[in-house]
Amino acid sequence: MSKFQYLITVKPLGLMYGSAGAFLSPENLVGRSGAKFPPDTATLAGLFFNANREHQFADRTELRNHLVISGPFWAQQYKPKQFYVPIPWHNVIAEKEDDEWIFVKKKSNSPEAVASESNQWCLGQHRWERTNKDLKPEFSWQSINTWNLPPNELREQQAIAKAPWDFVSFLHPRIKAEERHVVEKDGLFLENAVQFHEDYCLVYLSNYELPAGWYRFGGEGHLVEVESHFLSDKHKINRLLNQKIQHAFALITPGVWGSNNYSYRYPNHSSFPRQGLKMLTDKPVPYRYRLGHSQQEIETVEESYDPSRTGRLSRGRYAVPAGSVYVFKHPLNQTWWEFPDEWFPKEGFPLKHLGCGLCLPIDIQGLPVCTTAPTE
């Protein structure tokens, strides 16, 4: 499988407070720091497996071994295939200005630098630079249809946007066990919530179709409308993902690299070309998901599934945030689909199957590279 065949849209109704992070209280006034939205692909993967128990659209073993989901993204409801993805970090776009990280030559009079003037400069003799270092990015999403355009063209085409949701706080009632009334003491508590703007939907990519309908989605089981839209081979995302990455790519989903015990900023594997690697990134983001029942539990509940039984929560780890840019000295010459599963942690299954580290090729102004193969 080397393409996404379906675009899954999720239309939330009202507040999605279960996905917004920690509770607020007089003792925990910094609970907003734990806010996290939209739901990760693991949430949608769980929806796939639960739906498959009812609709049987795929063999369970086949689904477990071959399902690949990626996201989250978002779009306007009436044109979901023109969805928005994170802007790569080398493009900096504010309300009235924009800038771009480029590569410039290091000033050096050493004999080695002078001798290399007649040849193509290699990555090690350059550094990241931009004109306005004080400019802060205020737009973090761009249309997939305008991928790889410079920031001034993104602005001209109005292809940039801010996230269509807001974090809010509201008083939530604690209901009596025997009747629909608030308890007399401490009956209200303050909770984080997400208000999703009207006419927008969350977007995920998948290689399987999820039957359309109304589903419970997220930790609080919010009611959402789900639809599957067929994606052709000629759609922009599939054309980009089938284009081999040469000297640079940008993550459009968080990347978890490393082993089951450690997380790294890049794959800690011998086949990953670390020589001369340069990055643009931000602080890591938390990455957690429910792994599900053990094999023994699955065999036990196979015939009598109890939806009230929850899966085990996997260990927490950190991910490189979406938008991070990787630049290579030598051509990578691979697509994301061709990345080895060994580059990703494997906790029951490779995290690549959850769309981890989904990336697209990019062009960077002034990028000097070596075209010869690296030496062992």
Side-chain angles (χ1 to χ4, degrees):
M1 182 64 63
S2 60
K3 64 180 179 179
F4 288 111
Q5 295 176 287
Y6 296 95
L7 182 148
I8 312 296
T9 59
V10 178
K11 302 174 185 177
L13 297 178
L15 296 176
M16 295 192 69
Y17 49 89
S19 304
F23 293 155
L24 294 175
S25 68
E27 295 77 24
N28 180 28
L29 295 179
V30 294
R32 182 65 59 81
S33 63
K36 188 176 184 302
F37 189 84
D40 289 328
T41 50
T43 305
L44 188 66
L47 198 62
F48 259 94
F49 284 98
N50 286 334
N52 191 46
R53 292 179 184 274
E54 179 179 351
H55 299 284
Q56 289 294 319
F57 53 85
D59 178 74
R60 182 175 64 85
T61 302
E62 174 193 344
L63 197 64
R64 181 187 62 198
N65 293 336
H66 299 291
L67 175 67
V68 180
I69 304 175
S70 194
F73 312 113
W74 60 269
Q76 296 178 344
Q77 289 189 20
Y78 59 89
K79 46 182 179 181
K81 294 185 179 180
Q82 299 180 29
F83 57 89
Y84 283 75
V85 298
I87 297 176
W89 272 82
H90 70 292
N91 289 337
V92 183
I93 307 176
E95 289 286 355
K96 297 182 180 179
E97 299 179 77
D98 51 63
D99 201 354
E100 185 176 2
W101 286 98
I102 63 174
F103 275 99
V104 297
K105 295 178 182 179
K106 295 179 181 177
K107 295 181 180 179
S108 175
N109 295 322
S110 65
E112 292 82 4
V114 173
S116 65
E117 287 288 351
S118 59
N119 301 320
Q120 187 178 29
W121 280 74
C122 292
L123 194 60
Q125 288 131 353
H126 286 66
R127 69 174 187 272
W128 290 103
E129 187 64 84
R130 66 185 177 106
T131 304
N132 188 353
K133 294 184 178 180
D134 296 326
L135 188 65
K136 303 298 182 183
E138 297 181 81
F139 292 91
S140 54
W141 298 86
Q142 73 170 85
S143 170
I144 185 62
N145 293 342
T146 57
W147 183 260
N148 228 355
L149 291 184
N152 59 328
E153 293 188 32
L154 290 175
R155 183 186 295 280
E156 291 174 1
Q157 296 191 26
Q158 299 182 341
I160 54 177
K162 299 180 180 180
W165 58 79
D166 299 305
F167 290 96
V168 298
S169 300
F170 75 108
L171 286 175
H172 193 285
R174 183 174 286 110
I175 304 297
K176 294 180 179 180
E178 68 281 0
E179 55 183 290
R180 300 291 294 177
H181 287 83
V182 179
V183 297
E184 285 78 6
K185 185 178 180 181
D186 298 328
L188 297 175
F189 59 93
L190 196 61
E191 191 170 18
N192 275 332
V194 170
Q195 176 65 61
F196 207 80
H197 297 180
E198 295 182 5
D199 301 326
Y200 290 90
C201 60
L202 299 177
V203 169
Y204 299 84
L205 305 174
S206 172
N207 58 350
Y208 281 81
E209 181 180 9
L210 182 62
W214 296 91
Y215 292 87
R216 294 289 182 180
F217 186 71
E220 297 288 340
H222 290 275
L223 192 63
V224 297
E225 182 181 6
V226 173
E227 294 181 350
S228 295
H229 306 265
F230 178 76
L231 278 183
S232 70
D233 296 348
K234 296 182 179 180
H235 188 275
K236 182 73 170 183
I237 188 67
N238 280 327
R239 287 190 282 118
L240 287 169
L241 285 170
N242 282 324
Q243 179 181 332
K244 290 187 180 293
I245 298 165
Q246 297 303 316
H247 291 283
F249 70 68
L251 299 181
I252 58 173
T253 63
V256 180
W257 315 108
S259 64
N260 288 357
N261 298 319
Y262 297 98
S263 292
Y264 299 95
R265 299 177 74 188
Y266 49 81
N268 189 32
H269 192 271
S270 57
S271 65
F272 184 78
R274 296 189 295 271
Q275 181 185 6
L277 175 68
K278 291 187 180 295
M279 295 178 60
L280 276 178
T281 188
D282 199 0
K283 62 182 180 180
V285 295
Y287 191 92
R288 301 196 71 161
Y289 61 94
R290 289 191 181 275
L291 194 59
H293 300 289
S294 67
Q295 185 62 38
Q296 182 178 359
E297 290 172 326
I298 290 175
E299 293 172 354
T300 302
V301 302
E302 182 70 16
E303 300 299 327
S304 56
Y305 174 66
D306 182 2
S308 66
R309 299 182 61 180
T310 58
R312 296 173 303 189
L313 186 65
S314 77
R315 67 172 63 91
R317 57 169 63 251
Y318 285 104
V320 180
S324 298
V325 173
Y326 291 69
V327 180
F328 302 94
K329 182 177 182 180
H330 303 283
L332 186 61
N333 201 33
Q334 293 185 45
T335 67
W336 178 82
W337 289 104
E338 297 170 323
F339 287 1
D341 286 349
E342 292 74 22
W343 286 9
F344 305 86
K346 185 176 181 180
E347 298 174 335
F349 54 90
L351 293 190
K352 182 181 178 182
H353 289 200
L354 294 181
C356 181
L358 188 70
C359 58
L360 301 176
I362 55 174
D363 297 325
I364 298 177
Q365 183 180 346
L367 175 61
V369 291
C370 292
T371 56
T372 57
T375 56
E376 297 295 336

